[in-house]
Amino acid sequence: MDVDSLLRSAAALCVLSVCFLRAQSCHVTQPDMLNVHLVPHTHDDVGWLKTVDQYYYGDRNDIQHAGVQYILDSVVDQLLKNPDRRFIYVETAFFYRWWKQQSSGMQQTVKRLVDEGRLEFVNGGWCMSDEATTHYSAVIDQMTMGLRFLNDTFGPCGRPRVAWHIDPFGHAREHASMFAQMGYDGFFLGRLDYQDRKRRRTAREQELLWRASESLTPPMADLFTGILPNGYNPPDGFCWDQSCDDPPIRDDPELEDYNVDDVVRRFLAIAHKQAQVYKTNHIIMTMGSDFQYENANLWYKNLDKLIRYVNAQQARGGRVNALYSTPSCYLQELHRANLSWALKTDDFFPYADAAHDYWTGYFTSRPALKRYERISNGRLQTCNQLEVLGGPISRNGPFGKGDSETMKKAVAVAQHHDAVSGTEKQHVADDYARRLASGWQRCQVLVSNSLAALSGSTAKRIYCDNLNISVCPLTESSKKFSVNVYNPLVRAVIWPVRLPVNGTSYEVSDAEGRSVDCQVVPVSAETQVVRRSRGSAPNELVFQVRAPPLGFNTYSVSLLRDGPPPAPAQRRAPTAIQNQFLRATFDPATGLLSGLSNLETKRTIKLTQNFFWYNASDGNNTRSNQPSGAYIFRPNSSTPFLISPAAKTEVIQTPVLQEVRQWFAPWVSQVVRLHADSRALELEWTVGPLPIRDNLGKEVITRLDTSIKTAEYFYTDSNGREMLQRKKDFRPTWKLRQSEPIAGNYHPINSRAFIKDDEDQLTVVTDRSQGGASIHNGSLEIMLHRRLLYDDVRGVAEPLNETSSVFPEGLVVRGRLLLSLQRPDGAADAHRPLAQQEVLQPTLSFTDGEPHPNTRLQVRGAEGEGTSDHSRVTVLLTCNDWDPADLRPWSSSVVLRAAGCAAPCCAPAHTDPVGRGLGKLFSTLEVLGVSELNLSANQWKDEMTRLDWTEVVRPGDPSALEVTLMPMEIRTFLLRVR
């Protein structure tokens, strides 16, 4: 019997002999009564006011009393005392840590609780991810990590059937699509816009069917979605945690303060009121909140009594049945009701909890951390790929022991809804960054070992992580060095490289010894300022590298003694920069952009771009006392302040690149850059430190004003995948009463946004998640940086006022936007590869001296360096070693995940299914067999079943080496390789 058959048989036995059926662990309900499902739970943030470690151990209780290890200890103890009790747990990052510290006896006890349905896992990812600022590839990875641990530890009995996002501040359509493809039966959320909730309560549409993709055939991305009645908190007066002040149930009738009758009366009133805004005779109540159940006896003792005394009313004609329950049991009853549900096709952004309180600031909060998370996700994918391609030596080779696990956990934790969102305290943000840096250090060893095995060179490799500020000690000091470029994409890439150097002329050659065009240019004044004492090179060496699909290339760089001088930076008014594809024009009177032309399509638009800042509200105005903060964007005025009507400029024009360097203020500058052979115009912005001596918080935007006739529409991506249409002052689900004309029109931009009319489409590709809007016709604004002086009273209790040891006067942030001008019907062919390249950037490593003879490797064996139709519309999301390190024999397992393009936004030529030969994907691996998994890799695809309001379609042949990717489809495979 092969491995697949053994695994499937074991899973089937577990289901039949231990789990029975999920329904059998649910308490019996009463068909002719109102059934109140009481769901005991805790919401444990994987970092927020305290770090992950502080929350787990219960440290720094002066900040917040919370200790996750004690919660799990106490809950397990209380579940064992009464078999009727239930509990759900969400954050696998915490549970994994707790589990490792338990004795084998306790582990067996917990397994029994899981098998019997008394302890149920919901969601099951490493964390509860943010939905506005996370990229879909990182979300899938963190979900896979958590769900795999549950699978490996508890088998099918531990597999969550319900997605549970009770705290994220708005909900993305792509998240719902991913959850559906992961096999979840339903999705419960806690937050939605106050106007949307009011309408849904009136229409009894708080439970709905979410059709979460325009591209995937229903019901593939359909997901039943429920909106919880009280966020994720218990009803008023029924919180019995040690952190609460509500009175316990005092049920001794001889005592003066006996209160059972009052408790029952209040509970029945709340239950009947809640039932009026839901469709069935089943309602759900969340009995718990942030970090509750540290003393679970308080909760369970009172819940036992509540259930007993409420149900005792049935003997006297009461028609309410209270019971311990879980989200999956509640969902099962809704499914049995066999009703039709309202259909939703848009998303739940933006979110407001009051008229002037729009949670749209966090789309941009902590922009440096957002960029670092995005870079780290890309580095992790390179690390995973090279661990597979390099084999065992990658983990223990000439450079020592390396691993990808540290980086996987760090990136997974960073997806938490108070991590990459930027809504944590400063010391917690520092901790997230430290974890990412530590993970990359371990990955560097693995990457070096793998490249050594693939290239045959054991020369020491250097990684320069501060190239964005032109710092790299090796290139600054060496007269001869090599640059290794690894490309994690399934298509060849051309990538611009800028290296700090002290010389004035260099020679660059590729792996075949061919000369490569290069240019030395002076470092900009802004770069010299922001790098402080970390580097001092006066020049940068600029050239473009080419790297094959899933492979590397090496370039040799040598200092020339008698070469030409650096290209001068001329202080003059710019008029235009251009290559064979694009022409950008400037107003010589102001130094600002004035137009953009696509020379291939012969289309030209008017385009001006400048920087502005909104004055952040301090909460003291006539409309509302709500200030701007880490979560909330609340400008004092709808008109932003112009930073400067003109820019001081320098111009560099060479055959390799052309630049217009612009200075708007001491704290705002930009380089407009056009590389040879580039179809995108680069805007590299530097903003900060934001001045606050005037005691005004500032929220800085860049605004692109064009001649495109947008009719108040613009488009943003959802977690880096499908595009959604947005319209000013409009919501598809309800008639909006707009009370914040700026903040209420902001939406999350994860990787790109565009404006268009019938003739032209201008797409902006971002290098991190940011907030944006189209306030005026033909306009697109993107928020770049925020510095605020007041807390927005949403719990973090700290103003968003970032400083550091390097920048004590305020954080300086650098980033880039890529502008693509195309006809609308072909625009996706340009902007999708650009966005993919920003997420999965080439990894550069450096060696001193001569390069090794084996300086080039094409790992992918399919289509060579040509950019085929298939490679343009396919993304290799995951290539991950799947076996535990100590169980890897001569052959091993690899999880491979590939994504297809989206039909509505792709060019017509790329909306057909895409074939892919998995057996030919890697030239260094022999594929012995293939089985298909669901999206989260915790179920066989052909065995995945969901409740029939969203049944699964087209499972496919799990043994086929030839696969087909439908538009916008992501497919996951387990490969057995040698």
Side-chain angles (χ1 to χ4, degrees):
M1 183 178 288
D2 63 19
V3 175
D4 286 358
S5 299
L6 286 171
L7 289 172
R8 292 168 187 254
S9 298
L13 285 172
C14 178
V15 172
L16 292 174
S17 64
V18 181
C19 291
F20 306 107
L21 291 172
R22 181 79 64 169
Q24 294 188 12
S25 66
C26 300
H27 290 303
V28 175
T29 59
Q30 301 299 325
D32 57 345
M33 295 184 183
L34 174 61
N35 294 276
V36 184
H37 294 249
L38 304 176
V39 179
H41 80 107
T42 180
H43 175 59
D44 297 344
D45 289 302
V46 187
W48 179 38
L49 308 183
K50 304 199 295 188
T51 68
V52 181
D53 293 345
Q54 290 167 350
Y55 270 135
Y56 179 77
Y57 285 106
D59 195 11
R60 291 302 308 272
N61 282 339
D62 58 311
I63 298 175
Q64 180 185 15
H65 188 98
V68 174
Q69 61 174 333
Y70 309 121
I71 293 172
L72 292 168
D73 288 342
S74 184
V75 165
V76 170
D77 175 69
Q78 289 300 312
L79 289 176
L80 294 172
K81 293 182 177 180
N82 182 349
D84 291 337
R85 293 172 175 173
R86 298 289 183 268
F87 194 78
I88 62 170
Y89 200 72
V90 178
E91 294 84 7
T92 305
F94 283 136
F95 190 87
Y96 166 83
R97 189 180 288 200
W98 179 84
W99 178 261
K100 288 176 61 178
Q101 296 176 348
Q102 304 310 303
S103 67
S104 59
M106 176 56 73
Q107 289 180 350
Q108 290 303 313
T109 296
V110 173
K111 284 183 178 180
R112 178 166 57 87
L113 292 174
V114 173
D115 292 343
E116 294 173 359
R118 295 156 65 185
L119 173 61
E120 179 177 309
F121 296 102
V122 297
N123 215 61
W126 206 246
C127 68
M128 185 184 296
S129 60
D130 182 58
E131 298 193 42
T133 62
T134 48
H135 192 267
Y136 74 99
S137 61
V139 173
I140 293 171
D141 281 351
Q142 73 89 8
M143 291 297 298
T144 299
M145 178 181 289
L147 292 171
R148 185 187 183 186
F149 167 75
L150 296 179
N151 243 22
D152 291 348
T153 306
F154 300 104
C157 308
R159 177 168 60 85
R161 300 304 302 257
V162 168
W164 184 261
H165 269 214
I166 55 176
D167 196 27
F169 330 119
H171 301 278
R173 193 175 72 179
E174 187 60 33
H175 262 71
S177 176
M178 290 187 288
F179 288 147
Q181 296 174 70
M182 290 175 184
Y184 288 99
D185 287 324
F187 178 34
F188 289 94
L189 54 90
R191 299 183 188 269
L192 81 162
D193 188 274
Y194 75 104
Q195 293 183 53
D196 194 7
R197 181 183 288 275
K198 181 179 179 181
R199 187 201 67 81
R200 289 185 178 278
R201 286 172 59 89
T202 301
R204 303 178 80 185
E205 291 183 357
Q206 294 195 91
E207 289 159 337
L208 56 119
L209 185 62
W210 198 350
R211 181 147 295 158
S213 174
E214 294 179 3
S215 305
L216 299 176
T217 304
M220 191 173 179
D222 291 357
L223 189 64
F224 184 91
T225 301
I227 299 162
L228 297 171
N230 200 34
Y232 56 89
N233 298 307
D236 289 344
F238 292 87
C239 182
W240 290 304
D241 193 73
Q242 63 187 17
S243 62
C244 300
D245 298 324
D246 294 338
I249 297 178
R250 301 183 291 264
D251 55 349
D252 185 345
E254 297 183 0
L255 296 180
E256 183 176 322
D257 50 2
Y258 174 83
N259 68 348
V260 170
D261 294 340
D262 178 65
V263 168
V264 170
R265 177 186 56 77
R266 288 188 291 109
F267 180 82
L268 293 177
I270 290 172
H272 285 301
K273 184 176 181 180
Q274 182 177 326
Q276 294 174 5
V277 295
Y278 287 86
K279 289 183 71 170
T280 75
N281 64 325
H282 293 267
I283 60 173
I284 187 172
M285 293 184 182
T286 47
M287 307 306 286
S289 193
D290 291 353
F291 297 98
Q292 295 197 358
Y293 285 80
E294 193 170 309
N295 183 351
N297 180 53
L298 295 175
W299 261 112
Y300 281 116
K301 195 163 190 175
N302 283 280
L303 285 173
D304 287 347
K305 293 180 180 180
L306 179 67
I307 292 171
R308 182 167 73 251
Y309 291 124
V310 167
N311 291 348
Q313 298 294 312
Q314 297 171 14
R316 296 188 290 275
R319 311 304 299 168
V320 173
N321 180 53
L323 65 151
Y324 280 115
S325 190
T326 66
S328 64
C329 291
Y330 174 67
L331 190 66
Q332 174 184 279
E333 296 296 339
L334 299 183
H335 181 254
R336 286 174 175 169
N338 197 27
L339 300 178
S340 59
W341 306 93
L343 186 69
K344 181 178 179 65
T345 57
D346 59 317
D347 65 2
F348 287 99
F349 286 119
Y351 160 63
D353 57 14
H356 303 289
D357 306 358
Y358 277 89
W359 297 48
T360 54
Y362 81 97
F363 299 162
T364 298
S365 294
R366 301 195 187 277
L369 180 63
K370 282 179 165 62
R371 175 61 181 155
Y372 195 36
E373 179 277 329
R374 185 63 54 84
I375 292 172
S376 298
N377 179 37
R379 288 171 173 171
L380 174 61
Q381 305 315 317
T382 291
C383 190
N384 287 337
Q385 289 180 16
L386 287 172
E387 183 176 19
V388 171
L389 301 173
I393 197 173
S394 65
R395 294 178 290 276
N396 191 2
F399 299 101
K401 292 185 177 181
D403 72 74
S404 60
E405 292 303 313
T406 304
M407 189 68 159
K408 288 176 184 175
K409 291 175 182 175
V411 173
V413 165
Q415 307 314 307
H416 169 59
H417 60 269
D418 282 308
V420 66
S421 60
T423 54
E424 64 279 79
K425 282 185 177 291
Q426 184 62 56
H427 79 281
V428 181
D430 295 341
D431 183 67
Y432 289 130
R434 180 192 60 78
R435 290 172 184 273
L436 293 171
S438 177
W440 175 229
Q441 288 178 348
R442 302 291 293 271
C443 265
Q444 284 179 7
V445 177
L446 187 153
V447 170
S448 295
N449 286 337
S450 182
L451 291 176
L454 295 170
S455 69
S457 171
T458 57
K460 182 180 179 182
R461 294 180 182 273
I462 303 298
Y463 299 85
C464 295
D465 297 334
N466 292 315
L467 286 176
N468 67 319
I469 56 170
S470 200
V471 174
C472 181
L474 176 65
T475 65
E476 293 175 51
S477 61
S478 178
K479 295 181 180 180
K480 190 174 186 63
F481 58 90
S482 62
V483 184
N484 182 279
V485 185
Y486 176 79
N487 172 25
L489 292 170
V490 294
R491 56 180 172 82
V493 297
I494 300 174
W495 188 257
V497 171
R498 301 176 68 90
L499 305 177
V501 293
N502 279 292
T504 59
S505 182
Y506 289 80
E507 179 184 51
V508 179
S509 58
D510 66 13
E512 281 74 37
R514 293 172 301 208
S515 179
V516 175
D517 289 339
C518 64
Q519 184 68 57
V520 175
V521 299
V523 169
S524 70
E526 268 55 46
T527 295
Q528 295 179 31
V529 171
V530 298
R531 65 187 178 187
R532 300 292 166 97
S533 60
R534 290 172 287 180
S536 59
N539 298 319
E540 290 179 314
L541 174 64
V542 184
F543 58 99
Q544 294 197 111
V545 298
R546 297 173 182 266
L550 296 178
F552 64 80
N553 214 340
T554 304
Y555 290 78
S556 179
V557 180
S558 301
L559 174 67
L560 296 178
R561 294 194 175 187
D562 300 317
Q570 302 174 342
R571 287 189 175 272
R572 63 177 176 83
T575 56
I577 56 176
Q578 107 176 43
N579 62 14
Q580 60 182 313
F581 304 115
L582 287 178
R583 175 179 172 85
T585 58
F586 295 81
D587 181 347
T590 63
L592 304 180
L593 275 168
S594 61
L596 184 63
S597 300
N598 184 321
L599 302 180
E600 293 180 292
T601 62
K602 297 180 173 55
R603 295 295 306 173
T604 297
I605 62 169
K606 294 179 181 179
L607 169 64
T608 62
Q609 182 249 348
N610 210 324
F611 295 87
F612 304 78
W613 61 278
Y614 288 105
N615 178 14
S617 171
D618 59 6
N620 295 315
N621 60 52
T622 57
R623 290 184 298 159
S624 167
N625 60 358
Q626 177 61 57
S628 264
Y631 301 92
I632 290 175
F633 174 32
R634 179 82 197 293
N636 256 342
S637 169
S638 297
T639 303
F641 292 91
L642 177 65
I643 291 174
S644 175
K648 297 178 182 178
T649 58
E650 285 182 351
V651 181
I652 295 176
Q653 290 187 298
T654 76
V656 176
L657 86 160
Q658 300 171 69
E659 292 184 349
V660 175
R661 298 176 175 180
Q662 301 170 315
W663 289 269
F664 296 85
W667 46 282
V668 178
S669 64
Q670 180 174 261
V671 178
V672 183
R673 184 178 292 129
L674 187 60
H675 289 276
D677 301 325
S678 176
R679 287 180 166 87
L681 184 69
E682 178 181 339
L683 308 180
E684 184 186 71
W685 51 269
T686 303
V687 177
L690 304 189
I692 54 173
R693 290 184 179 178
D694 52 8
N695 293 318
L696 298 177
K698 293 177 176 61
E699 316 198 53
V700 178
I701 66 166
T702 185
R703 195 174 76 200
L704 303 163
D705 294 305
T706 76
S707 56
I708 296 174
K709 300 175 179 61
T710 59
E712 299 190 326
Y713 289 99
F714 79 114
Y715 301 78
T716 66
D717 65 323
S718 181
N719 300 122
R721 285 286 274 171
E722 293 193 55
M723 305 299 295
L724 279 78
Q725 185 185 76
R726 313 293 192 182
K727 185 178 182 182
K728 181 184 175 184
D729 297 333
F730 176 78
R731 302 290 186 269
T733 310
W734 79 93
K735 187 175 181 180
L736 175 69
R737 296 181 61 186
Q738 185 61 273
S739 51
E740 286 291 327
I742 304 299
N745 281 303
Y746 260 63
H747 289 81
I749 301 171
N750 196 271
S751 68
R752 59 201 183 279
F754 63 78
I755 53 176
K756 69 174 184 175
D757 57 21
D758 293 339
E759 300 293 334
D760 300 298
Q761 177 173 317
L762 180 67
T763 305
V764 180
V765 175
T766 66
D767 64 353
R768 73 202 74 192
S769 288
Q770 296 169 312
S774 181
I775 304 299
H776 309 286
N777 279 326
S779 173
L780 181 63
E781 67 181 58
I782 297 175
M783 187 177 291
L784 306 177
H785 198 359
R786 316 178 72 218
R787 190 177 188 187
L788 308 171
L789 305 181
Y790 298 90
D791 175 58
D792 54 11
V793 201
R794 290 305 185 277
V796 75
E798 189 176 275
L800 185 66
N801 185 5
E802 293 184 278
T803 61
S804 71
S805 58
V806 179
F807 298 105
E809 69 275 30
L811 203 64
V812 179
V813 182
R814 173 170 285 177
R816 71 174 188 166
L817 306 173
L818 299 178
L819 306 189
S820 172
L821 176 64
Q822 300 286 340
R823 292 188 181 275
D825 59 357
D829 276 350
H831 69 68
R832 284 190 178 278
L834 282 175
Q836 294 162 9
Q837 232 168 265
E838 281 298 297
V839 175
L840 296 175
Q841 294 184 2
T843 296
L844 305 183
S845 60
F846 302 86
T847 57
D848 200 8
E850 294 281 352
H852 189 273
N854 185 12
T855 55
R856 188 176 188 276
L857 175 69
Q858 181 175 309
V859 178
R860 206 187 107 202
E863 293 147 17
E865 285 201 51
T867 305
S868 71
D869 285 352
H870 289 182
S871 63
R872 280 209 303 268
V873 299
T874 306
V875 184
L876 180 65
L877 290 181
T878 306
C879 177
N880 197 3
D881 214 324
W882 197 244
D883 295 319
D886 56 348
L887 295 178
R888 288 170 182 147
W890 61 276
S891 66
S892 62
S893 298
V894 172
V895 162
L896 185 145
R897 192 177 278 119
C901 179
C905 298
C906 286
H910 304 314
T911 58
D912 294 328
V914 178
R916 172 70 63 195
L918 296 182
K920 301 176 182 178
L921 191 58
F922 303 104
S923 61
T924 62
L925 301 176
E926 178 187 358
V927 179
L928 305 176
V930 179
S931 299
E932 186 167 4
L933 299 164
N934 69 335
L935 181 59
S936 49
N938 66 329
Q939 300 173 70
W940 302 112
K941 180 67 176 289
D942 60 348
E943 293 181 358
M944 186 180 82
T945 59
R946 298 196 292 146
L947 294 181
D948 57 11
W949 46 50
T950 50
E951 68 184 63
V952 174
V953 296
R954 198 181 54 77
D957 180 357
S959 64
L961 290 178
E962 294 296 326
V963 303
T964 299
L965 274 177
M966 300 297 291
M968 206 58 198
E969 184 178 25
I970 305 175
R971 297 183 70 180
T972 305
F973 302 92
L974 182 66
L975 279 62
R976 291 177 299 287
V977 302
R978 176 163 47 206

